[in-house]
Amino acid sequence: PFFTLEPGYPKALAAIEVPPPMIYARGRIELLQQPALAIIGSRLASAAGLKIAKQFAIELGRAGLAIVSGLARGVDGAAHEASLATGTIAVLAGGVDNIYPPEHDKLYREISESGCLVSEQPPGFRPRAADFPRRNRIISGMSLGVLVIEAARRSGTLLTARLAGEQGREVFAVPGHPLDPRAEGTNLLLKTGATLVTEPRDVLETLEPMAGLNRQAFREIPQAVPVAPVLVLGVPDVSDRDRGSVVSALGPHPIDLDEIARATSLSARDVRSIVMELDLAGRIERHGAQLVSLLPMPE
């Protein structure tokens, strides 16, 4: 069923300068009354960026924050997936019955059952390009703060961060490598006053006084256990598209091979074969048995 919210209208959203006069929701509408944090970032996020988004979403969800994002590819999707168990809110540019992007059909259905879908547009509405920036003001408006993980210098993510600042919300950013274009936006935010965070506890300590978060439920992220290297026998038949997916998932930060496999949906065997090719071509740097990073292209 679809609901027009009146008594349950989110208090944080009602406090912005021009709140939408009506919003529609599907799913667990009680999540709209929880303190919330928006997690946003690049649609073409690296494997490291996706891992960071999941870590923050899991830990801050456990602490009592609903995780808000826009159901986009990349960081948005990772944040939603990781917070399904604790409470996630997807703000859509179209109606709450419009699945976009189409590949998030499964995630959309999971959120409609265990999370909440929100839009200011009526059911049946198909979004236009101009509706996505309008959607962004709701993402930030519903939240106590916005956490940015990987954003190019010109992106919708930075627009959301700017809107958050104008709405009086906290803006957090995870720093990135200066050579990674996906970090230009986040590093720019840090230069202009955003709060630097490197672990979920940094966000928690800022928001706890205003949100009444559950500190007992908050636990540090366990350190990854090193995995023994696996011998690759034979040469898997990998395509140029698969190679491109692995290169896109890599960045200047060391990332675990298993994380690359998860981010690209390739088998561990195919990932290891492609990484071996990149190693022989001088495109990557190894950091132990499992960690690799992408080297800049030679000039």
Side-chain angles (χ1 to χ4, degrees), residues 156-171:
T157 299
L158 289 195
L159 170 61
T160 309
R162 179 176 63 78
L163 291 169
E166 292 174 356
Q167 293 166 345
R169 306 303 191 245
E170 296 286 340
V171 178

Side-chain angles (χ1 to χ4, degrees), residues 226-230 254-257 272 275 279 284-293:
V227 179
V230 176
I255 186 68
D256 190 280
L257 296 182
R272 291 178 185 280
V275 167
D279 195 4
I284 64 166
E285 181 179 358
R286 290 188 178 270
H287 309 267
Q290 282 284 110
L291 298 174
V292 296
S293 62

Side-chain angles (χ1 to χ4, degrees), residues 57-267:
I58 289 170
E59 295 299 318
L60 294 172
R62 287 176 181 169
L65 287 167
I67 302 301
V68 181
S69 201
L71 198 64
R73 302 175 182 92
V75 167
D76 287 25
H80 285 309
E81 288 175 2
S83 57
L84 280 169
T86 54
T88 192
I89 301 169
V91 183
L92 309 180
V96 290
D97 56 348
N98 184 275
I99 304 173
Y100 186 85
E103 62 262 36
H104 277 175
D105 175 76
K106 179 175 180 289
L107 179 57
Y108 167 92
R109 299 189 187 284
E110 289 174 335
I111 295 173
S112 70
E113 293 173 3
S114 61
C116 190
L117 300 159
V118 173
S119 176
E120 67 177 321
Q121 305 294 353
F125 183 87
R126 294 190 174 276
R128 305 152 299 184
D131 296 312
F132 290 91
R134 287 175 54 84
R135 178 272 314 267
N136 292 347
R137 86 190 194 287
I138 299 178
I139 292 176
S140 56
M142 292 181 65
S143 309
L144 297 174
V146 171
L147 170 63
V148 181
I149 300 170
E150 292 190 346
R153 182 175 286 269
R154 295 183 179 181
S155 67
T157 299
L158 289 195
L159 170 61
T160 309
R162 179 176 63 78
L163 291 169
E166 292 174 356
Q167 293 166 345
R169 306 303 191 245
E170 296 286 340
V171 178
F172 305 96
V174 177
H177 196 286
L179 297 179
D180 190 344
R182 288 170 292 202
E184 285 187 16
T186 48
N187 291 343
L188 179 63
L189 287 174
L190 292 170
K191 290 179 181 178
T192 54
T195 300
L196 185 152
V197 296
T198 57
E199 59 177 338
R201 186 175 298 278
D202 298 333
V203 176
L204 178 71
E205 289 176 350
T206 299
L207 296 185
E208 186 180 26
M210 67 182 81
L213 302 178
N214 182 1
R215 180 171 285 275
Q216 286 187 337
F218 189 83
R219 296 179 177 83
E220 290 187 8
I221 301 166
Q223 294 294 317
V225 178
V227 179
V230 176
L231 179 64
V232 179
L233 300 175
V235 180
D237 183 17
V238 294
S239 66
D240 288 340
R241 180 178 179 179
D242 293 341
R243 292 183 180 91
S245 295
V246 170
V247 171
S248 295
L250 288 166
H253 298 288
I255 186 68
D256 190 280
L257 296 182
D258 290 338
E259 287 293 330
I260 298 172
R262 280 190 283 270
T264 58
S265 299
L266 295 173
S267 69

